[in-house]
Amino acid sequence: MGHTLNVFRVLIASSLTLSVLAAFADTWWPDLLPKPLEAAYEAYLEASPGPSEPVVLALAIVSVGVFVAALGLMLLKPWARALALWTTLLSIMFSPAFGAGAYSGLTVVLIESAAMLWGAALAMAYFSELRSRFETPRLETR
C-alpha cells in the first residue's frame, strides 16, 4: 500500500500546485493571451455584473474547504473524503456564476490537468485499497 499512498499524495500535491500555477500563469506571462482576446474579455467584464458578493464569499469558503480536504486526504483523515467530494461538487455548481473566461492555452492545460489529477485522487480515496484507511472502525456490539 505504500506505493499507492505515495501516488495518491503526489496526485493531490500536483493538483494543488497546478491549480496555483493556473491562477497566476496569465498574470506572469501576459503575452500568452492574444491582445484582441484580452481587450474583448475586459469589455465583457465591464458590461457584465459579475457574481454577487454572496456567491464570491461562498466560493471562497468552498476553496478553503478544498484545501482543507486536500490536507485531510494526505493525512488519511476519515472526514476528508466526504469534504473533498462535497467541496468539489459545490465548486462545480458555483462556476457558472462567474460567467465566461478568457485564458491562454497554458492556463487551460494547467486547469484541466489539475482537475484530472484531483479526480484521480478522489477516485483513489473511494475505489482503491486506500478506501479502508478512510473508513472509521465500527464498534462491535455483543
Side-chain angles (χ1 to χ4, degrees):
M1 185 176 308
H3 176 70
T4 302
L5 181 57
N6 289 338
V7 169
F8 178 69
R9 287 178 171 152
V10 166
L11 288 173
I12 295 167
S14 298
S15 175
L16 292 175
T17 301
L18 292 178
S19 294
V20 170
L21 289 173
F24 295 104
D26 288 339
T27 302
W28 291 336
W29 300 289
D31 292 338
L32 293 176
L33 191 62
K35 296 300 177 207
L37 180 57
E38 183 178 359
Y41 183 63
E42 287 175 9
Y44 162 75
L45 289 177
E46 288 175 14
S48 82
S52 66
E53 287 181 16
V55 169
V56 172
L57 178 61
L59 190 60
I61 292 168
V62 168
S63 296
V64 170
V66 169
F67 183 73
V68 169
L71 292 177
L73 287 172
M74 292 183 97
L75 297 172
L76 304 173
K77 298 296 182 183
W79 48 263
R81 279 193 319 179
L83 182 60
L85 179 63
W86 286 107
T87 55
T88 299
L89 293 174
L90 286 170
S91 67
I92 292 168
M93 286 176 34
F94 282 118
S95 292
F98 286 83
Y103 307 103
S104 68
L106 173 63
T107 297
V108 170
V109 167
L110 294 170
I111 291 168
E112 290 183 3
S113 297
M116 285 188 289
L117 294 172
W118 180 255
L122 200 52
M124 285 182 75
Y126 277 96
F127 302 110
S128 78
E129 62 195 42
L130 291 176
R131 99 176 143 253
S132 64
R133 304 280 294 267
F134 290 101
E135 294 168 355
T136 53
R138 295 182 184 180
L139 297 177
E140 292 185 29
T141 58
R142 292 184 188 202

